[in-house]
Amino acid sequence: YDIKESLVGHWKLNETSGATAANAIAGGSPGNVTGTSSWGAGRIANAFNFDMATYMLVDNFTKANDAIAGCAWVKMDPNAPGTMAVFRNGHSDFNATGGDLKVLGQFELGILDVGGELRPTAAVGNSPNLPRATGSAGLSVDEWHHLAFSADGAQLRLYVNGAQVASTDYLGLINDAHMDWISIGARLVVDTNTPPAIPDATTPAYFWGSIDDIGLWTRALTANEVSKIYQAGMAGQDLETVVIEPPTEMEFTGVTKNADGSITIEWTGGGTLQVTTDIGSGVWQSVDGATSPYTFTPTAAAMFGRIMQ
């Protein structure tokens, strides 16, 4: 219950000048600007302003294996043209060219042009597949939005402003990264020279607008964590300020058969009482308004109960 657990990258983008965006994680690589440095007001303190010709390159990061999650605040320019990269570890559109067809990269968070709508999208490398989740509605421009994705080995979920907007099923681990770097604000391709990556000549997907408070985890985020990160940002606080409270421990403490045939059950920790007459069916019925101690008359020879958080 620590938002910083497995947090391997946190680029607050709070600088006011210069060509480097610090990584708040100890030992983490910063983002280095290629193009024109431009800093301005963000959702949380400052942000970096991208102009469709500028991007950042993070030369290395801790790679994911079982699961991955990431988030960022974005504000698109009113003239933003379409598909744009927010941040990603991927070569071009992830797929290699020629006969070696495989997914190249671990993740992507961005904006996808769907019929002229600017929709949020996320993808993860799960070779030979590329699970992708895309929102069904476009995002407004010139307004801050919080985008987040979380992949747990079974589902990739996409969130906008703290609420899930899309998901897709997949199975397995996250691909080994074929490149060490992360690009912010553009779609890059592998280059054998220095620097190790250059913008895709065909579809660079430059971002036009502002990006703020980027986070990357080598674990999945819960819906509650994503919601709290969004709420913190709305209050002007970065993602590391989020506090996650562990759930209250719940326990049955007593079951009493009364003289009139009724049953009284007691438990601690709150929660919702659910009952079933067939524990193998998987079908449970919530008892609305039930609090401890709760007395009821059985309606079957055998009944089972549980407490749900």
Side-chain angles (χ1 to χ4, degrees):
Y1 303 103
D2 182 357
I3 197 66
K4 292 182 282 187
E5 178 190 351
S6 301
L7 178 63
V8 297
H10 183 196
W11 299 271
K12 297 183 181 183
L13 304 178
N14 282 344
E15 288 78 6
T16 59
S17 63
T20 302
N23 190 337
I25 304 304
S29 297
N32 297 301
V33 176
T34 295
T36 302
S37 294
S38 177
W39 305 87
R43 174 66 261 185
I44 306 157
N46 274 0
F48 191 84
N49 301 321
F50 292 84
D51 59 5
M52 289 198 67
T54 299
Y55 62 91
M56 290 186 184
L57 184 69
V58 178
D59 61 14
N60 210 336
F61 71 105
T62 301
K63 313 304 186 290
N65 183 27
D66 298 324
I68 192 169
C71 68
W73 283 93
V74 301
K75 182 180 180 182
M76 297 178 291
D77 188 272
N79 297 309
T83 297
M84 296 180 286
V86 177
F87 80 122
R88 68 200 306 265
N89 167 247
H91 167 84
S92 185
D93 60 356
F94 273 105
N95 291 327
T97 58
D100 185 20
L101 183 61
K102 59 185 177 182
V103 176
L104 295 178
Q106 291 206 320
F107 73 92
E108 174 183 58
L109 181 64
I111 304 297
L112 189 65
D113 185 346
V114 181
E117 288 189 329
L118 302 178
R119 298 186 183 182
T121 189
V124 291
N126 176 236
S127 190
N129 304 307
L130 184 65
R132 180 175 293 278
T134 300
S136 60
L139 299 177
S140 56
V141 298
D142 205 25
E143 181 179 357
W144 285 105
H145 299 280
H146 187 258
L147 308 184
F149 72 93
S150 178
D152 59 12
Q155 279 193 319
L156 166 63
R157 296 178 172 89
L158 176 67
Y159 300 85
V160 175
N161 296 337
Q164 182 174 310
V165 297
S167 67
T168 188
D169 295 335
Y170 77 100
L171 185 64
L173 302 177
I174 303 300
N175 289 347
D176 292 336
H178 291 263
M179 63 288 297
D180 287 331
W181 41 262
I182 290 172
S183 62
I184 303 173
R187 179 182 286 177
L188 305 185
V189 295
V190 176
D191 187 43
T192 57
N193 301 307
T194 301
I198 58 175
D200 189 322
T202 304
T203 54
Y206 283 118
F207 193 85
W208 195 357
S210 303
I211 299 178
D212 196 5
D213 204 41
I214 300 173
L216 181 68
W217 291 258
T218 54
R219 66 172 177 91
L221 291 177
T222 67
N224 181 48
E225 287 176 312
V226 173
S227 176
K228 285 185 175 292
I229 293 170
Y230 166 68
Q231 292 170 23
M234 290 297 291
Q237 302 295 317
D238 69 61
L239 63 88
E240 289 194 45
T241 66
V242 168
V243 177
I244 305 297
E245 297 292 342
T248 303
E249 183 175 349
M250 298 176 294
E251 181 182 8
F252 279 111
T253 56
V255 179
T256 304
K257 183 177 181 179
N258 303 313
D260 62 1
S262 64
I263 301 292
T264 299
I265 58 176
E266 299 176 84
W267 68 92
T268 61
T272 300
L273 173 65
Q274 295 185 323
V275 296
T276 185
T277 57
D278 182 3
I279 199 169
S281 69
V283 178
W284 294 80
Q285 182 177 358
S286 296
V287 183
D288 294 335
T291 58
S292 179
Y294 178 72
T295 300
F296 68 100
T297 299
T299 57
M303 296 190 71
F304 305 87
R306 69 182 184 185
I307 304 297
M308 296 292 291
Q309 183 75 28

